Amino acid sequence: EPDAPQEVKVTLPFEPANRTEPKIIKAHCNRCAGEKKAFVRATYSISSRDEEVSWNDTYDILECCGCETMAVRHQLWFSEWDTIEQDSRGNPYMSPGIKTTYWPPPIKRQKPEWSSEITDEVLRTLFDELYVALSSDLLVLATIGARTLFDRASFLQVGDPKGGFAGKMEAMVKAGHISSTEKDILEAMTDAGNASAHRGYAPTFKQLTAIVDILENYIERAFILGEAATKLRTTTPPRQPNKKP
């Protein structure tokens, strides 16, 4: 029979005689954007084995040494995942088969800073959820979300005209919200969203990046830059007429 799981209680990563110096490791930090030094504030580990197969589950509570953001790192080691590698001199060594995940998950694409300035609550919520899907590698849901986000944005500009989606796009062109070239680009983006929703189309992350690029450019121009330009005009002093000699 397999051995009973061997549980290790939650522990603090420093010795009682030296409580001011917690263990420091390299780990991903979303706020600092990359692998940075982090304090290990607590650890929980559980392991077991079944004849020749072993595994270990470890959870670490981390605090970034720089920005002090907290995160949880999960490392799962399974002996069957171990591989034999070679170093730079050709010497073989065992590479442990460890899968590492974080919560919150690593951000694949940062939200633009201007996203917090979106005044429509529904549009802002859809924008936030799109980036959650991106970071969670939910490519199909992210593509559908991009399509839904555009639906909301275009509704705010032209309402719900007759003719379905095609009628909405024509109304946006006639109202001057988008050009004919932008219409073609936005239609390519929404076609991908329709394919994901109705045919299970899963784009690559690179393709999805192009979709989000298109959407970000449209949202910023339609809802952020216009308002910023209006405020700029109101604060810019008028040109003074030339005084006659």
Side-chain angles (χ1 to χ4, degrees):
E1 295 183 0
D3 296 341
Q6 301 173 357
E7 297 190 11
V8 179
K9 295 181 180 180
V10 174
T11 58
L12 297 177
F14 41 74
E15 298 298 328
N18 191 22
R19 291 184 177 273
T20 60
E21 297 184 9
K23 181 180 178 182
I24 295 178
I25 64 170
K26 282 290 191 75
H28 181 83
C29 176
N30 276 336
R31 181 172 294 179
C32 296
E35 194 171 79
K36 306 295 179 180
K37 290 182 179 180
F39 296 116
V40 180
R41 293 305 187 187
T43 297
Y44 175 82
S45 184
I46 183 172
S47 60
S48 185
R49 62 180 300 153
D50 182 2
E51 297 180 355
E52 297 181 357
V53 177
S54 304
W55 59 268
N56 174 269
D57 249 339
T58 300
Y59 292 85
D60 296 310
I61 297 178
L62 308 176
E63 179 186 1
C64 178
C65 295
C67 67
E68 300 181 343
T69 297
M70 304 297 292
V72 176
R73 183 182 70 172
H74 173 218
Q75 289 190 310
L76 173 61
W77 169 73
F78 183 48
S79 59
E80 294 297 291
W81 296 340
D82 292 345
T83 58
I84 303 297
E85 306 288 347
Q86 289 186 338
D87 60 21
S88 58
R89 297 182 178 180
N91 299 317
Y93 68 93
M94 178 72 74
S95 177
I98 300 175
K99 291 185 177 180
T100 302
T101 55
Y102 290 90
W103 191 90
I107 295 175
K108 297 293 182 64
R109 181 184 178 117
Q110 293 282 352
K111 281 192 302 183
E113 294 182 2
W114 50 258
S115 63
S116 60
E117 300 176 29
I118 298 175
T119 56
D120 182 73
E121 184 176 353
V122 175
L123 188 66
R124 189 171 61 251
T125 298
L126 289 171
F127 206 81
D128 291 342
E129 291 186 2
L130 170 62
Y131 285 85
V132 172
L134 284 172
S135 294
S136 301
D137 284 329
L138 303 176
L139 304 187
V140 173
L141 291 182
T143 309
I144 297 172
R147 172 69 166 83
T148 305
L149 183 58
F150 176 73
D151 273 344
R152 176 62 182 177
S154 57
F155 172 79
L156 292 174
Q157 289 195 303
V158 297
D160 192 15
K162 294 181 180 180
F165 178 73
K168 182 182 291 186
M169 295 298 287
E170 289 298 333
M172 291 179 68
V173 172
K174 289 181 180 179
H177 295 305
I178 60 175
S179 66
S180 297
T181 301
E182 288 174 311
K183 174 177 175 291
D184 293 338
I185 294 173
L186 290 167
E187 283 178 338
M189 179 202 71
T190 54
D191 285 345
N194 290 335
S196 292
H198 303 295
R199 300 187 294 278
Y201 167 64
T204 64
F205 191 81
K206 184 177 181 179
Q207 291 170 327
L208 186 53
T209 296
I211 291 172
V212 178
D213 284 342
I214 294 169
L215 193 59
E216 281 184 356
N217 290 333
Y218 162 66
I219 296 291
E220 182 182 21
R221 184 181 55 76
F223 297 95
I224 304 299
L225 295 181
E227 185 175 343
T230 300
K231 291 180 179 179
L232 183 61
R233 288 193 186 97
T234 61
T235 57
T236 301
R239 181 179 178 180
Q240 300 296 322
N242 294 329
K243 295 182 179 181
K244 295 181 178 181

